[in-house]
Amino acid sequence: MWRAVSLAGWVLLVTATWAAEGEAVAFDTAADLAGWQAESGDWAVQDGALLQSDAGSSRSVLWRPERAWSALDLSVEFFIHPVGEGVRAPGVIVHAVDQETYYYLHFDLKNSQVVWVRSAPGREWTDARRHKVRGLRAGAWQTARVACRDGEHRVFLDGDLLFTEKDDTLKGGVVGLRAGQGRIAFRNLRVEGEPLVLPTPFRVQVAPFHVVCSDAGAGAYEAFPDLCRTSAGELLCVFYAGYGHVSVPRPGLPNGARIALCRSTDDGRTWSPAETVVDTPIDDRDSSITPLANGDLLVAYMSYDPQRKPGTHQVFTVRSTDQGRTWGPPERVPTPFTGNEAVSEPAREMPDGRLILPLYGRMAELPKARSMVGLVESTDGGRTWQTLALIRSERYELTEPSLVRLPDGRLFMAIRPTMTWCESTDGGRTWTDPAPMPIDGDAPYLLLTSKGVLLCGFRHRPTRSTCVISSTDFGRTWSERVTIDRVMGAYTSLVELPDGRVLVVYYTEGHGSDIRAVALRAPHGMP
């Protein structure tokens, strides 16, 4: 006999007698993982406990998708290994309806807090309530407990009640474990509650990615990739290789971060070991690569100093005439900016042979002005550059522009951070005022496929995920957001493969960040 109960606008079935049932999992053998499914992270039973060993991942999740509960009481022991510099946060997920809709307890060691979170589609931390706590520590087993009944959530640590929150949005769902930026172990999980059947089975979707590079030899932090297909049919991926998000020179890495390259001859299924493209005595970053009609390869990148000293934020190119086997010396790119200048997206070659390189930066004489976009062009294959246009906005910061040429000759540009867009009908000399796109995102990347579908890859900060949207009318309207992977590094780059699929590369962020690749089915970007 079953009884209907409302669940966030849906209907679920629970036993009419409301009989409590339980489940206990020790996690001391591999057999205890039966019925659990990893969404992300490196989960395995080791030394008599369940260990999530990827200390760099900000969102490692393990689900129990086949059993759902309401009015539950869950406890689990956790052990925070004293390694890494992140928040090192074990977590407990309850009442999950899908991978975006759930309650979550985030035990944040670094900030001495426990965060009660309700997540919803489109925004991972829809409601986050922070509580400062004492007693969280590394190197010792501790016990977390959460009891949810009638919209009341009681949270305990080592038997002591920390706080009570009230929220009745979600009446029940599956449970999960989570680790954030830490090497976290779990054991002795116990759940008691009222079993229920969700109206839609809980399905764990995992990004079908290949790893391009996890360690280029500079500290195992890889980021900001860009991808191209050469005239010989190879895929080349250039990226930032360092030890952290900013990698200034230090002992063992005297030049700081460098620009590295991996290559694939099988459409992205396997990748070569990393090679060095350029390594100057400063942090080299945000590289992009353009295959030119004459067979040359042009990599644009910028130098960076966290103290932002004058002359340290500059744009350069390096050139290869042998399919990326060797590279010439860095060449400075003159820009219209008198303050700091930057680049993050590739130069685009026009049908008339011009190269247009989108940049962004500031004017030293206007310290309070917003960041603006500049375009430089070259008529000699990137050996010399002249300013083509300067785009300003009174309403928006303009950074990290991506450029694409449309079939009718218009140039379309998407710009971080709002995202905004603008277009030019005269080859890039004048532009419309930047206007907001229908979704916010960071570091957009544009690709026009052979089928005439305009794709935009980006980082979606509200869900901390890597996403893509598509347009069949050249940017007038856009599809709903499609999640490629639930990692927040992004800085996507897209290339169409010979079979019509689109390969997307992006990075994961956090200590040990790597470069990943996912192939999408054309035309709408669905993985």
Side-chain angles (χ1 to χ4, degrees), residues 279-312:
D279 186 15
T280 70
I282 197 171
D283 185 46
D284 305 312
R285 63 192 300 112
D286 286 33
S287 56
S288 58
I289 185 167
T290 303
L292 304 183
N294 68 353
D296 288 359
L297 298 170
L298 193 69
V299 167
Y301 70 97
M302 70 180 191
S303 60
Y304 183 84
D305 185 321
Q307 297 181 6
R308 300 185 181 273
K309 298 175 183 177
T312 58

PDB file of all heavy atoms in Angstrom, residues 279-312:
ATOM      1  N   ASP A 279      58.833  29.345 -22.549  1.00  0.00           N
ATOM      2  CA  ASP A 279      59.075  29.403 -21.102  1.00  0.00           C
ATOM      3  C   ASP A 279      60.011  30.574 -20.830  1.00  0.00           C
ATOM      4  O   ASP A 279      61.226  30.434 -20.859  1.00  0.00           O
ATOM      5  CB  ASP A 279      59.688  28.089 -20.618  1.00  0.00           C
ATOM      6  CG  ASP A 279      59.825  28.034 -19.101  1.00  0.00           C
ATOM      7  OD1 ASP A 279      59.192  28.865 -18.421  1.00  0.00           O
ATOM      8  OD2 ASP A 279      60.560  27.157 -18.602  1.00  0.00           O
ATOM      9  N   THR A 280      59.434  31.745 -20.571  1.00  0.00           N
ATOM     10  CA  THR A 280      60.224  32.946 -20.314  1.00  0.00           C
ATOM     11  C   THR A 280      60.344  33.168 -18.811  1.00  0.00           C
ATOM     12  O   THR A 280      59.633  32.525 -18.028  1.00  0.00           O
ATOM     13  CB  THR A 280      59.575  34.173 -20.972  1.00  0.00           C
ATOM     14  OG1 THR A 280      58.366  34.508 -20.270  1.00  0.00           O
ATOM     15  CG2 THR A 280      59.254  33.900 -22.430  1.00  0.00           C
ATOM     16  N   PRO A 281      61.199  34.083 -18.358  1.00  0.00           N
ATOM     17  CA  PRO A 281      61.413  34.286 -16.915  1.00  0.00           C
ATOM     18  C   PRO A 281      60.276  35.035 -16.219  1.00  0.00           C
ATOM     19  O   PRO A 281      60.500  35.970 -15.464  1.00  0.00           O
ATOM     20  CB  PRO A 281      62.716  35.089 -16.874  1.00  0.00           C
ATOM     21  CG  PRO A 281      63.341  34.934 -18.191  1.00  0.00           C
ATOM     22  CD  PRO A 281      62.214  34.791 -19.153  1.00  0.00           C
ATOM     23  N   ILE A 282      59.053  34.652 -16.480  1.00  0.00           N
ATOM     24  CA  ILE A 282      57.878  35.234 -15.841  1.00  0.00           C
ATOM     25  C   ILE A 282      56.743  34.242 -16.057  1.00  0.00           C
ATOM     26  O   ILE A 282      56.887  33.273 -16.805  1.00  0.00           O
ATOM     27  CB  ILE A 282      57.556  36.629 -16.440  1.00  0.00           C
ATOM     28  CG1 ILE A 282      56.608  37.418 -15.530  1.00  0.00           C
ATOM     29  CG2 ILE A 282      56.994  36.505 -17.844  1.00  0.00           C
ATOM     30  CD1 ILE A 282      56.439  38.869 -15.955  1.00  0.00           C
ATOM     31  N   ASP A 283      55.630  34.456 -15.406  1.00  0.00           N
ATOM     32  CA  ASP A 283      54.474  33.576 -15.555  1.00  0.00           C
ATOM     33  C   ASP A 283      53.873  33.758 -16.950  1.00  0.00           C
ATOM     34  O   ASP A 283      53.320  34.810 -17.268  1.00  0.00           O
ATOM     35  CB  ASP A 283      53.445  33.928 -14.471  1.00  0.00           C
ATOM     36  CG  ASP A 283      52.257  32.989 -14.451  1.00  0.00           C
ATOM     37  OD1 ASP A 283      52.465  31.777 -14.508  1.00  0.00           O
ATOM     38  OD2 ASP A 283      51.122  33.479 -14.366  1.00  0.00           O
ATOM     39  N   ASP A 284      53.984  32.739 -17.816  1.00  0.00           N
ATOM     40  CA  ASP A 284      53.408  32.762 -19.166  1.00  0.00           C
ATOM     41  C   ASP A 284      52.075  32.029 -19.125  1.00  0.00           C
ATOM     42  O   ASP A 284      51.994  30.904 -18.635  1.00  0.00           O
ATOM     43  CB  ASP A 284      54.343  32.067 -20.160  1.00  0.00           C
ATOM     44  CG  ASP A 284      55.742  32.653 -20.161  1.00  0.00           C
ATOM     45  OD1 ASP A 284      55.856  33.885 -20.216  1.00  0.00           O
ATOM     46  OD2 ASP A 284      56.710  31.871 -20.098  1.00  0.00           O
ATOM     47  N   ARG A 285      51.008  32.617 -19.706  1.00  0.00           N
ATOM     48  CA  ARG A 285      49.680  32.044 -19.486  1.00  0.00           C
ATOM     49  C   ARG A 285      48.714  32.402 -20.611  1.00  0.00           C
ATOM     50  O   ARG A 285      49.007  33.203 -21.486  1.00  0.00           O
ATOM     51  CB  ARG A 285      49.111  32.518 -18.150  1.00  0.00           C
ATOM     52  CG  ARG A 285      48.886  34.005 -18.076  1.00  0.00           C
ATOM     53  CD  ARG A 285      48.606  34.496 -16.655  1.00  0.00           C
ATOM     54  NE  ARG A 285      47.441  33.898 -16.048  1.00  0.00           N
ATOM     55  CZ  ARG A 285      47.499  33.060 -15.004  1.00  0.00           C
ATOM     56  NH1 ARG A 285      48.655  32.737 -14.466  1.00  0.00           N
ATOM     57  NH2 ARG A 285      46.390  32.562 -14.486  1.00  0.00           N
ATOM     58  N   ASP A 286      47.519  31.776 -20.530  1.00  0.00           N
ATOM     59  CA  ASP A 286      46.385  32.074 -21.410  1.00  0.00           C
ATOM     60  C   ASP A 286      46.770  31.980 -22.890  1.00  0.00           C
ATOM     61  O   ASP A 286      46.522  32.892 -23.680  1.00  0.00           O
ATOM     62  CB  ASP A 286      45.808  33.454 -21.091  1.00  0.00           C
ATOM     63  CG  ASP A 286      45.014  33.458 -19.798  1.00  0.00           C
ATOM     64  OD1 ASP A 286      45.392  32.700 -18.886  1.00  0.00           O
ATOM     65  OD2 ASP A 286      44.036  34.205 -19.683  1.00  0.00           O
ATOM     66  N   SER A 287      47.339  30.855 -23.258  1.00  0.00           N
ATOM     67  CA  SER A 287      47.774  30.667 -24.641  1.00  0.00           C
ATOM     68  C   SER A 287      46.607  30.260 -25.531  1.00  0.00           C
ATOM     69  O   SER A 287      45.625  29.668 -25.088  1.00  0.00           O
ATOM     70  CB  SER A 287      48.863  29.593 -24.701  1.00  0.00           C
ATOM     71  OG  SER A 287      48.410  28.386 -24.115  1.00  0.00           O
ATOM     72  N   SER A 288      46.740  30.586 -26.805  1.00  0.00           N
ATOM     73  CA  SER A 288      45.799  30.132 -27.829  1.00  0.00           C
ATOM     74  C   SER A 288      46.590  29.848 -29.094  1.00  0.00           C
ATOM     75  O   SER A 288      47.691  30.371 -29.284  1.00  0.00           O
ATOM     76  CB  SER A 288      44.717  31.184 -28.088  1.00  0.00           C
ATOM     77  OG  SER A 288      45.305  32.411 -28.493  1.00  0.00           O
ATOM     78  N   ILE A 289      46.032  29.011 -29.960  1.00  0.00           N
ATOM     79  CA  ILE A 289      46.781  28.564 -31.133  1.00  0.00           C
ATOM     80  C   ILE A 289      45.921  28.685 -32.382  1.00  0.00           C
ATOM     81  O   ILE A 289      44.738  28.332 -32.374  1.00  0.00           O
ATOM     82  CB  ILE A 289      47.287  27.115 -30.941  1.00  0.00           C
ATOM     83  CG1 ILE A 289      48.172  26.683 -32.107  1.00  0.00           C
ATOM     84  CG2 ILE A 289      46.138  26.145 -30.707  1.00  0.00           C
ATOM     85  CD1 ILE A 289      48.946  25.394 -31.844  1.00  0.00           C
ATOM     86  N   THR A 290      46.522  29.221 -33.449  1.00  0.00           N
ATOM     87  CA  THR A 290      45.825  29.429 -34.717  1.00  0.00           C
ATOM     88  C   THR A 290      46.605  28.766 -35.845  1.00  0.00           C
ATOM     89  O   THR A 290      47.781  29.091 -36.054  1.00  0.00           O
ATOM     90  CB  THR A 290      45.680  30.930 -35.024  1.00  0.00           C
ATOM     91  OG1 THR A 290      44.989  31.574 -33.958  1.00  0.00           O
ATOM     92  CG2 THR A 290      44.926  31.151 -36.328  1.00  0.00           C
ATOM     93  N   PRO A 291      45.988  27.841 -36.591  1.00  0.00           N
ATOM     94  CA  PRO A 291      46.633  27.299 -37.793  1.00  0.00           C
ATOM     95  C   PRO A 291      46.400  28.257 -38.963  1.00  0.00           C
ATOM     96  O   PRO A 291      45.261  28.622 -39.254  1.00  0.00           O
ATOM     97  CB  PRO A 291      45.920  25.966 -38.002  1.00  0.00           C
ATOM     98  CG  PRO A 291      44.569  26.158 -37.391  1.00  0.00           C
ATOM     99  CD  PRO A 291      44.706  27.189 -36.304  1.00  0.00           C
ATOM    100  N   LEU A 292      47.457  28.680 -39.614  1.00  0.00           N
ATOM    101  CA  LEU A 292      47.340  29.637 -40.706  1.00  0.00           C
ATOM    102  C   LEU A 292      47.246  28.920 -42.046  1.00  0.00           C
ATOM    103  O   LEU A 292      47.634  27.754 -42.187  1.00  0.00           O
ATOM    104  CB  LEU A 292      48.539  30.585 -40.697  1.00  0.00           C
ATOM    105  CG  LEU A 292      48.778  31.343 -39.385  1.00  0.00           C
ATOM    106  CD1 LEU A 292      49.958  32.297 -39.530  1.00  0.00           C
ATOM    107  CD2 LEU A 292      47.527  32.087 -38.949  1.00  0.00           C
ATOM    108  N   ALA A 293      46.753  29.633 -43.033  1.00  0.00           N
ATOM    109  CA  ALA A 293      46.541  29.037 -44.352  1.00  0.00           C
ATOM    110  C   ALA A 293      47.840  28.557 -44.986  1.00  0.00           C
ATOM    111  O   ALA A 293      47.839  27.610 -45.779  1.00  0.00           O
ATOM    112  CB  ALA A 293      45.845  30.050 -45.265  1.00  0.00           C
ATOM    113  N   ASN A 294      48.965  29.179 -44.637  1.00  0.00           N
ATOM    114  CA  ASN A 294      50.248  28.773 -45.215  1.00  0.00           C
ATOM    115  C   ASN A 294      50.890  27.601 -44.481  1.00  0.00           C
ATOM    116  O   ASN A 294      52.011  27.202 -44.804  1.00  0.00           O
ATOM    117  CB  ASN A 294      51.215  29.958 -45.246  1.00  0.00           C
ATOM    118  CG  ASN A 294      51.657  30.393 -43.847  1.00  0.00           C
ATOM    119  OD1 ASN A 294      51.149  29.900 -42.842  1.00  0.00           O
ATOM    120  ND2 ASN A 294      52.599  31.325 -43.793  1.00  0.00           N
ATOM    121  N   GLY A 295      50.193  27.059 -43.458  1.00  0.00           N
ATOM    122  CA  GLY A 295      50.708  25.924 -42.704  1.00  0.00           C
ATOM    123  C   GLY A 295      51.402  26.284 -41.413  1.00  0.00           C
ATOM    124  O   GLY A 295      51.675  25.401 -40.585  1.00  0.00           O
ATOM    125  N   ASP A 296      51.712  27.569 -41.206  1.00  0.00           N
ATOM    126  CA  ASP A 296      52.326  27.982 -39.946  1.00  0.00           C
ATOM    127  C   ASP A 296      51.325  27.848 -38.798  1.00  0.00           C
ATOM    128  O   ASP A 296      50.103  27.846 -39.004  1.00  0.00           O
ATOM    129  CB  ASP A 296      52.790  29.442 -40.016  1.00  0.00           C
ATOM    130  CG  ASP A 296      54.013  29.629 -40.892  1.00  0.00           C
ATOM    131  OD1 ASP A 296      54.512  28.621 -41.434  1.00  0.00           O
ATOM    132  OD2 ASP A 296      54.456  30.786 -41.043  1.00  0.00           O
ATOM    133  N   LEU A 297      51.865  27.775 -37.591  1.00  0.00           N
ATOM    134  CA  LEU A 297      51.060  27.807 -36.370  1.00  0.00           C
ATOM    135  C   LEU A 297      51.462  29.032 -35.572  1.00  0.00           C
ATOM    136  O   LEU A 297      52.657  29.303 -35.398  1.00  0.00           O
ATOM    137  CB  LEU A 297      51.283  26.549 -35.532  1.00  0.00           C
ATOM    138  CG  LEU A 297      50.897  25.227 -36.185  1.00  0.00           C
ATOM    139  CD1 LEU A 297      51.400  24.058 -35.344  1.00  0.00           C
ATOM    140  CD2 LEU A 297      49.389  25.130 -36.376  1.00  0.00           C
ATOM    141  N   LEU A 298      50.478  29.778 -35.086  1.00  0.00           N
ATOM    142  CA  LEU A 298      50.741  30.989 -34.323  1.00  0.00           C
ATOM    143  C   LEU A 298      50.109  30.850 -32.942  1.00  0.00           C
ATOM    144  O   LEU A 298      48.896  30.663 -32.820  1.00  0.00           O
ATOM    145  CB  LEU A 298      50.158  32.209 -35.041  1.00  0.00           C
ATOM    146  CG  LEU A 298      50.617  33.578 -34.527  1.00  0.00           C
ATOM    147  CD1 LEU A 298      52.094  33.795 -34.852  1.00  0.00           C
ATOM    148  CD2 LEU A 298      49.758  34.687 -35.128  1.00  0.00           C
ATOM    149  N   VAL A 299      50.933  30.906 -31.905  1.00  0.00           N
ATOM    150  CA  VAL A 299      50.456  30.852 -30.523  1.00  0.00           C
ATOM    151  C   VAL A 299      50.544  32.251 -29.925  1.00  0.00           C
ATOM    152  O   VAL A 299      51.604  32.887 -29.961  1.00  0.00           O
ATOM    153  CB  VAL A 299      51.285  29.859 -29.684  1.00  0.00           C
ATOM    154  CG1 VAL A 299      51.002  30.039 -28.193  1.00  0.00           C
ATOM    155  CG2 VAL A 299      50.979  28.433 -30.102  1.00  0.00           C
ATOM    156  N   ALA A 300      49.429  32.734 -29.407  1.00  0.00           N
ATOM    157  CA  ALA A 300      49.391  33.999 -28.677  1.00  0.00           C
ATOM    158  C   ALA A 300      49.283  33.691 -27.190  1.00  0.00           C
ATOM    159  O   ALA A 300      48.610  32.733 -26.787  1.00  0.00           O
ATOM    160  CB  ALA A 300      48.209  34.851 -29.131  1.00  0.00           C
ATOM    161  N   TYR A 301      49.937  34.494 -26.363  1.00  0.00           N
ATOM    162  CA  TYR A 301      49.878  34.295 -24.917  1.00  0.00           C
ATOM    163  C   TYR A 301      50.215  35.614 -24.242  1.00  0.00           C
ATOM    164  O   TYR A 301      50.563  36.604 -24.905  1.00  0.00           O
ATOM    165  CB  TYR A 301      50.850  33.195 -24.467  1.00  0.00           C
ATOM    166  CG  TYR A 301      52.310  33.574 -24.559  1.00  0.00           C
ATOM    167  CD1 TYR A 301      53.003  34.045 -23.447  1.00  0.00           C
ATOM    168  CD2 TYR A 301      52.998  33.480 -25.766  1.00  0.00           C
ATOM    169  CE1 TYR A 301      54.344  34.402 -23.532  1.00  0.00           C
ATOM    170  CE2 TYR A 301      54.334  33.830 -25.865  1.00  0.00           C
ATOM    171  CZ  TYR A 301      55.004  34.296 -24.743  1.00  0.00           C
ATOM    172  OH  TYR A 301      56.322  34.663 -24.828  1.00  0.00           O
ATOM    173  N   MET A 302      50.120  35.635 -22.916  1.00  0.00           N
ATOM    174  CA  MET A 302      50.456  36.860 -22.192  1.00  0.00           C
ATOM    175  C   MET A 302      51.367  36.530 -21.018  1.00  0.00           C
ATOM    176  O   MET A 302      51.402  35.402 -20.518  1.00  0.00           O
ATOM    177  CB  MET A 302      49.196  37.563 -21.702  1.00  0.00           C
ATOM    178  CG  MET A 302      48.459  36.870 -20.579  1.00  0.00           C
ATOM    179  SD  MET A 302      46.981  37.809 -20.105  1.00  0.00           S
ATOM    180  CE  MET A 302      46.505  36.978 -18.601  1.00  0.00           C
ATOM    181  N   SER A 303      52.102  37.541 -20.582  1.00  0.00           N
ATOM    182  CA  SER A 303      52.904  37.428 -19.366  1.00  0.00           C
ATOM    183  C   SER A 303      52.107  38.012 -18.208  1.00  0.00           C
ATOM    184  O   SER A 303      51.218  38.847 -18.399  1.00  0.00           O
ATOM    185  CB  SER A 303      54.231  38.168 -19.530  1.00  0.00           C
ATOM    186  OG  SER A 303      54.007  39.545 -19.802  1.00  0.00           O
ATOM    187  N   TYR A 304      52.452  37.575 -16.993  1.00  0.00           N
ATOM    188  CA  TYR A 304      51.630  37.966 -15.844  1.00  0.00           C
ATOM    189  C   TYR A 304      52.495  38.098 -14.600  1.00  0.00           C
ATOM    190  O   TYR A 304      53.379  37.273 -14.346  1.00  0.00           O
ATOM    191  CB  TYR A 304      50.541  36.918 -15.605  1.00  0.00           C
ATOM    192  CG  TYR A 304      49.586  37.254 -14.484  1.00  0.00           C
ATOM    193  CD1 TYR A 304      48.491  38.074 -14.714  1.00  0.00           C
ATOM    194  CD2 TYR A 304      49.777  36.755 -13.205  1.00  0.00           C
ATOM    195  CE1 TYR A 304      47.603  38.385 -13.689  1.00  0.00           C
ATOM    196  CE2 TYR A 304      48.903  37.056 -12.174  1.00  0.00           C
ATOM    197  CZ  TYR A 304      47.818  37.874 -12.424  1.00  0.00           C
ATOM    198  OH  TYR A 304      46.954  38.178 -11.408  1.00  0.00           O
ATOM    199  N   ASP A 305      52.221  39.135 -13.825  1.00  0.00           N
ATOM    200  CA  ASP A 305      52.852  39.343 -12.527  1.00  0.00           C
ATOM    201  C   ASP A 305      51.744  39.689 -11.542  1.00  0.00           C
ATOM    202  O   ASP A 305      51.003  40.654 -11.767  1.00  0.00           O
ATOM    203  CB  ASP A 305      53.870  40.482 -12.606  1.00  0.00           C
ATOM    204  CG  ASP A 305      54.655  40.667 -11.303  1.00  0.00           C
ATOM    205  OD1 ASP A 305      54.046  40.541 -10.224  1.00  0.00           O
ATOM    206  OD2 ASP A 305      55.857  40.947 -11.363  1.00  0.00           O
ATOM    207  N   PRO A 306      51.584  38.923 -10.445  1.00  0.00           N
ATOM    208  CA  PRO A 306      50.479  39.203  -9.517  1.00  0.00           C
ATOM    209  C   PRO A 306      50.565  40.580  -8.874  1.00  0.00           C
ATOM    210  O   PRO A 306      49.557  41.100  -8.399  1.00  0.00           O
ATOM    211  CB  PRO A 306      50.598  38.084  -8.476  1.00  0.00           C
ATOM    212  CG  PRO A 306      51.987  37.574  -8.602  1.00  0.00           C
ATOM    213  CD  PRO A 306      52.370  37.752 -10.033  1.00  0.00           C
ATOM    214  N   GLN A 307      51.758  41.193  -8.856  1.00  0.00           N
ATOM    215  CA  GLN A 307      51.884  42.547  -8.320  1.00  0.00           C
ATOM    216  C   GLN A 307      51.532  43.606  -9.358  1.00  0.00           C
ATOM    217  O   GLN A 307      51.512  44.798  -9.060  1.00  0.00           O
ATOM    218  CB  GLN A 307      53.310  42.764  -7.813  1.00  0.00           C
ATOM    219  CG  GLN A 307      53.685  41.836  -6.668  1.00  0.00           C
ATOM    220  CD  GLN A 307      55.098  42.082  -6.165  1.00  0.00           C
ATOM    221  OE1 GLN A 307      55.777  43.016  -6.586  1.00  0.00           O
ATOM    222  NE2 GLN A 307      55.545  41.236  -5.252  1.00  0.00           N
ATOM    223  N   ARG A 308      51.266  43.155 -10.578  1.00  0.00           N
ATOM    224  CA  ARG A 308      50.829  44.034 -11.671  1.00  0.00           C
ATOM    225  C   ARG A 308      51.784  45.212 -11.886  1.00  0.00           C
ATOM    226  O   ARG A 308      51.371  46.359 -12.050  1.00  0.00           O
ATOM    227  CB  ARG A 308      49.399  44.528 -11.423  1.00  0.00           C
ATOM    228  CG  ARG A 308      48.404  43.386 -11.330  1.00  0.00           C
ATOM    229  CD  ARG A 308      46.974  43.870 -11.205  1.00  0.00           C
ATOM    230  NE  ARG A 308      46.051  42.757 -11.087  1.00  0.00           N
ATOM    231  CZ  ARG A 308      45.505  42.109 -12.115  1.00  0.00           C
ATOM    232  NH1 ARG A 308      45.799  42.476 -13.336  1.00  0.00           N
ATOM    233  NH2 ARG A 308      44.676  41.106 -11.923  1.00  0.00           N
ATOM    234  N   LYS A 309      53.059  44.911 -11.891  1.00  0.00           N
ATOM    235  CA  LYS A 309      54.052  45.944 -12.158  1.00  0.00           C
ATOM    236  C   LYS A 309      53.945  46.394 -13.617  1.00  0.00           C
ATOM    237  O   LYS A 309      53.649  45.592 -14.501  1.00  0.00           O
ATOM    238  CB  LYS A 309      55.454  45.402 -11.885  1.00  0.00           C
ATOM    239  CG  LYS A 309      55.695  44.987 -10.441  1.00  0.00           C
ATOM    240  CD  LYS A 309      57.074  44.355 -10.286  1.00  0.00           C
ATOM    241  CE  LYS A 309      57.296  43.879  -8.862  1.00  0.00           C
ATOM    242  NZ  LYS A 309      58.606  43.183  -8.709  1.00  0.00           N
ATOM    243  N   PRO A 310      54.190  47.672 -13.889  1.00  0.00           N
ATOM    244  CA  PRO A 310      54.142  48.143 -15.281  1.00  0.00           C
ATOM    245  C   PRO A 310      55.092  47.336 -16.161  1.00  0.00           C
ATOM    246  O   PRO A 310      56.223  47.034 -15.778  1.00  0.00           O
ATOM    247  CB  PRO A 310      54.583  49.605 -15.166  1.00  0.00           C
ATOM    248  CG  PRO A 310      54.239  49.996 -13.759  1.00  0.00           C
ATOM    249  CD  PRO A 310      54.455  48.767 -12.929  1.00  0.00           C
ATOM    250  N   GLY A 311      54.610  46.985 -17.338  1.00  0.00           N
ATOM    251  CA  GLY A 311      55.437  46.243 -18.274  1.00  0.00           C
ATOM    252  C   GLY A 311      55.432  44.742 -18.082  1.00  0.00           C
ATOM    253  O   GLY A 311      56.120  44.027 -18.818  1.00  0.00           O
ATOM    254  N   THR A 312      54.670  44.256 -17.106  1.00  0.00           N
ATOM    255  CA  THR A 312      54.653  42.808 -16.874  1.00  0.00           C
ATOM    256  C   THR A 312      53.452  42.130 -17.514  1.00  0.00           C
ATOM    257  O   THR A 312      53.477  40.930 -17.737  1.00  0.00           O
ATOM    258  CB  THR A 312      54.648  42.488 -15.372  1.00  0.00           C
ATOM    259  OG1 THR A 312      53.511  43.112 -14.760  1.00  0.00           O
ATOM    260  CG2 THR A 312      55.917  42.999 -14.705  1.00  0.00           C
TER     261      THR A 312
END
